[in-house]
Amino acid sequence: MDVSKILASHNAKLDSIKVEKETPLDVDAGFLTVTDPNPIDEESYNSNLEEHLQNLARDGVQTLLASLFSLPTLSSPDGPLAQLPAPKTPLPRAKPLPKPKPLTKWEQFAKAKGIQKKKRDKKVWDEERQEWVNRWGKDGKNKQVEEQWIHEVPANADVDYDPRKVARDERKARTAKNEKQRSANVARAQSSGSREERKQDIERTLASSRISTASMGKFDKKLEGEKKLRGVKRKFQPNETSVDEETKASLALLSKMESDSKKMRRDGPVPEGSVLNVRKAVRFASKGQGGVALGRQAAGSKGKKVGKRK
């Protein structure tokens, strides 16, 4: 039986999927990318651009698929899966490398003394329960003294001595101490710049606090060696202005009052159950004279009305 024709047709099919170029294509199976370093054929590019691009895409995809089928595979319910290798194309970072965090006070001490950090387990063995329990948190080992059913009371303790409360206060104090140390480490890390930068930061904060009062710090108590701020002045409107400026200011005030009245009409009357500021209402009705003056004024007006009736 002559099988030469069958082999020839089979080889022809294999030749159709082979990609042969002067410079081999660079395949990165990890990123599923193919790079063609060959120069562009100017004649085919100018004659038929669409066909030229399709041929380039076909060669790249064919090379990529051939490299994927040569990789080791894993069986899965969906079929064989190719094990992709590690990418070999270096890619630039989107952001710069993060700056190393400054060491805390304990880390500096441990580094100087050569102390190795040991990570503590989240679970500890409880001899009474004969099981593993949490070190912290719910049903934690650190709350064992607070939750035990019997406590030892010192002989010189007060009558209202509560051992559970004492144990809880001690635990809270340790937590507050740790939080204070953490805040100190954060502050130390933020102020790790030069001395001149920290000095300028303090001066900016001091200047901001000085001009936060109504007098812009004019009547505030000055510190020893404190410099005088420059360029910090309050702006006042001049007493005498032109007619146009005065007209604009009056119209702006009237428009503001009109918008406030519209807002009051839109909101409607005061609902029942709302809180009334009696002191403010009395001050407004008496024009700042107080409740006594308002009562006298009301009594005087009542007497006058009675006299008229007679």
Side-chain angles (χ1 to χ4, degrees), residues 293-310:
L294 182 62
R296 291 176 180 174
Q297 185 179 1
S301 61
K302 185 176 180 181
K304 290 179 181 180
K305 289 181 181 179
V306 174
K308 287 180 181 180
R309 288 177 181 177
K310 288 180 179 180

mmCIF file of all heavy atoms in Angstrom, residues 293-310:
data_model
loop_
_atom_site.group_PDB
_atom_site.id
_atom_site.type_symbol
_atom_site.label_atom_id
_atom_site.label_comp_id
_atom_site.label_asym_id
_atom_site.label_seq_id
_atom_site.Cartn_x
_atom_site.Cartn_y
_atom_site.Cartn_z
ATOM 1 N N ALA A 293 -37.869 94.830 81.432
ATOM 2 C CA ALA A 293 -38.286 96.013 80.681
ATOM 3 C C ALA A 293 -39.502 95.716 79.807
ATOM 4 O O ALA A 293 -40.389 96.558 79.657
ATOM 5 C CB ALA A 293 -37.121 96.504 79.816
ATOM 6 N N LEU A 294 -39.539 94.515 79.245
ATOM 7 C CA LEU A 294 -40.689 94.140 78.434
ATOM 8 C C LEU A 294 -41.955 94.075 79.280
ATOM 9 O O LEU A 294 -43.038 94.507 78.846
ATOM 10 C CB LEU A 294 -40.420 92.790 77.755
ATOM 11 C CG LEU A 294 -41.515 92.274 76.811
ATOM 12 C CD1 LEU A 294 -41.701 93.238 75.643
ATOM 13 C CD2 LEU A 294 -41.155 90.889 76.293
ATOM 14 N N GLY A 295 -41.845 93.562 80.525
ATOM 15 C CA GLY A 295 -43.015 93.516 81.406
ATOM 16 C C GLY A 295 -43.489 94.899 81.806
ATOM 17 O O GLY A 295 -44.691 95.171 81.843
ATOM 18 N N ARG A 296 -42.540 95.776 82.103
ATOM 19 C CA ARG A 296 -42.930 97.148 82.445
ATOM 20 C C ARG A 296 -43.595 97.835 81.267
ATOM 21 O O ARG A 296 -44.588 98.564 81.423
ATOM 22 C CB ARG A 296 -41.695 97.931 82.876
ATOM 23 C CG ARG A 296 -41.110 97.460 84.213
ATOM 24 C CD ARG A 296 -39.832 98.220 84.509
ATOM 25 N NE ARG A 296 -39.248 97.782 85.774
ATOM 26 C CZ ARG A 296 -38.065 98.195 86.224
ATOM 27 N NH1 ARG A 296 -37.346 99.051 85.485
ATOM 28 N NH2 ARG A 296 -37.614 97.750 87.371
ATOM 29 N N GLN A 297 -43.062 97.627 80.105
ATOM 30 C CA GLN A 297 -43.638 98.237 78.916
ATOM 31 C C GLN A 297 -45.060 97.728 78.679
ATOM 32 O O GLN A 297 -45.968 98.491 78.336
ATOM 33 C CB GLN A 297 -42.751 97.944 77.707
ATOM 34 C CG GLN A 297 -43.222 98.641 76.439
ATOM 35 C CD GLN A 297 -42.304 98.353 75.270
ATOM 36 O OE1 GLN A 297 -41.330 97.625 75.427
ATOM 37 N NE2 GLN A 297 -42.619 98.909 74.117
ATOM 38 N N ALA A 298 -45.268 96.431 78.870
ATOM 39 C CA ALA A 298 -46.601 95.870 78.689
ATOM 40 C C ALA A 298 -47.569 96.410 79.736
ATOM 41 O O ALA A 298 -48.731 96.718 79.434
ATOM 42 C CB ALA A 298 -46.534 94.339 78.752
ATOM 43 N N ALA A 299 -47.090 96.530 80.995
ATOM 44 C CA ALA A 299 -47.962 97.065 82.055
ATOM 45 C C ALA A 299 -48.318 98.520 81.797
ATOM 46 O O ALA A 299 -49.453 98.954 82.000
ATOM 47 C CB ALA A 299 -47.271 96.919 83.412
ATOM 48 N N GLY A 300 -47.353 99.312 81.325
ATOM 49 C CA GLY A 300 -47.624 100.717 81.036
ATOM 50 C C GLY A 300 -48.613 100.887 79.901
ATOM 51 O O GLY A 300 -49.527 101.711 79.969
ATOM 52 N N SER A 301 -48.455 100.106 78.864
ATOM 53 C CA SER A 301 -49.384 100.210 77.734
ATOM 54 C C SER A 301 -50.784 99.777 78.142
ATOM 55 O O SER A 301 -51.782 100.341 77.701
ATOM 56 C CB SER A 301 -48.876 99.371 76.564
ATOM 57 O OG SER A 301 -48.807 97.997 76.954
ATOM 58 N N LYS A 302 -50.886 98.786 79.065
ATOM 59 C CA LYS A 302 -52.189 98.336 79.529
ATOM 60 C C LYS A 302 -52.886 99.412 80.343
ATOM 61 O O LYS A 302 -54.088 99.667 80.210
ATOM 62 C CB LYS A 302 -52.018 97.060 80.345
ATOM 63 C CG LYS A 302 -53.330 96.443 80.767
ATOM 64 C CD LYS A 302 -53.081 95.133 81.496
ATOM 65 C CE LYS A 302 -54.406 94.513 81.922
ATOM 66 N NZ LYS A 302 -54.176 93.242 82.650
ATOM 67 N N GLY A 303 -52.097 100.129 81.209
ATOM 68 C CA GLY A 303 -52.673 101.213 81.991
ATOM 69 C C GLY A 303 -53.163 102.348 81.128
ATOM 70 O O GLY A 303 -54.194 102.961 81.369
ATOM 71 N N LYS A 304 -52.412 102.677 80.093
ATOM 72 C CA LYS A 304 -52.822 103.729 79.191
ATOM 73 C C LYS A 304 -54.121 103.379 78.487
ATOM 74 O O LYS A 304 -55.039 104.175 78.331
ATOM 75 C CB LYS A 304 -51.733 103.997 78.170
ATOM 76 C CG LYS A 304 -50.509 104.657 78.757
ATOM 77 C CD LYS A 304 -49.447 104.867 77.712
ATOM 78 C CE LYS A 304 -48.202 105.501 78.294
ATOM 79 N NZ LYS A 304 -47.142 105.724 77.268
ATOM 80 N N LYS A 305 -54.266 102.115 78.067
ATOM 81 C CA LYS A 305 -55.490 101.694 77.376
ATOM 82 C C LYS A 305 -56.691 101.781 78.314
ATOM 83 O O LYS A 305 -57.779 102.191 77.931
ATOM 84 C CB LYS A 305 -55.337 100.265 76.855
ATOM 85 C CG LYS A 305 -54.365 100.192 75.671
ATOM 86 C CD LYS A 305 -54.262 98.768 75.179
ATOM 87 C CE LYS A 305 -53.281 98.686 74.009
ATOM 88 N NZ LYS A 305 -53.157 97.296 73.520
ATOM 89 N N VAL A 306 -56.469 101.380 79.584
ATOM 90 C CA VAL A 306 -57.565 101.460 80.545
ATOM 91 C C VAL A 306 -57.997 102.874 80.781
ATOM 92 O O VAL A 306 -59.173 103.228 80.880
ATOM 93 C CB VAL A 306 -57.150 100.774 81.874
ATOM 94 C CG1 VAL A 306 -58.220 100.985 82.942
ATOM 95 C CG2 VAL A 306 -56.955 99.281 81.633
ATOM 96 N N GLY A 307 -57.021 103.816 80.870
ATOM 97 C CA GLY A 307 -57.355 105.222 81.060
ATOM 98 C C GLY A 307 -58.158 105.771 79.896
ATOM 99 O O GLY A 307 -59.057 106.574 80.069
ATOM 100 N N LYS A 308 -57.837 105.377 78.710
ATOM 101 C CA LYS A 308 -58.575 105.854 77.570
ATOM 102 C C LYS A 308 -60.025 105.387 77.583
ATOM 103 O O LYS A 308 -60.932 106.082 77.194
ATOM 104 C CB LYS A 308 -57.896 105.376 76.285
ATOM 105 C CG LYS A 308 -56.604 106.119 75.994
ATOM 106 C CD LYS A 308 -55.977 105.609 74.721
ATOM 107 C CE LYS A 308 -54.664 106.350 74.444
ATOM 108 N NZ LYS A 308 -54.042 105.862 73.202
ATOM 109 N N ARG A 309 -60.237 104.145 78.068
ATOM 110 C CA ARG A 309 -61.587 103.616 78.122
ATOM 111 C C ARG A 309 -62.454 104.410 79.093
ATOM 112 O O ARG A 309 -63.647 104.593 78.881
ATOM 113 C CB ARG A 309 -61.591 102.150 78.523
ATOM 114 C CG ARG A 309 -61.074 101.238 77.402
ATOM 115 C CD ARG A 309 -61.022 99.811 77.864
ATOM 116 N NE ARG A 309 -60.517 98.939 76.825
ATOM 117 C CZ ARG A 309 -60.305 97.640 76.960
ATOM 118 N NH1 ARG A 309 -60.591 97.052 78.134
ATOM 119 N NH2 ARG A 309 -59.832 96.931 75.961
ATOM 120 N N LYS A 310 -61.822 104.830 80.187
ATOM 121 C CA LYS A 310 -62.607 105.649 81.111
ATOM 122 C C LYS A 310 -62.981 106.975 80.478
ATOM 123 O O LYS A 310 -64.054 107.460 80.665
ATOM 124 C CB LYS A 310 -61.778 105.900 82.384
ATOM 125 C CG LYS A 310 -61.639 104.657 83.244
ATOM 126 C CD LYS A 310 -60.828 104.947 84.483
ATOM 127 C CE LYS A 310 -60.679 103.716 85.387
ATOM 128 N NZ LYS A 310 -59.889 103.985 86.580
#
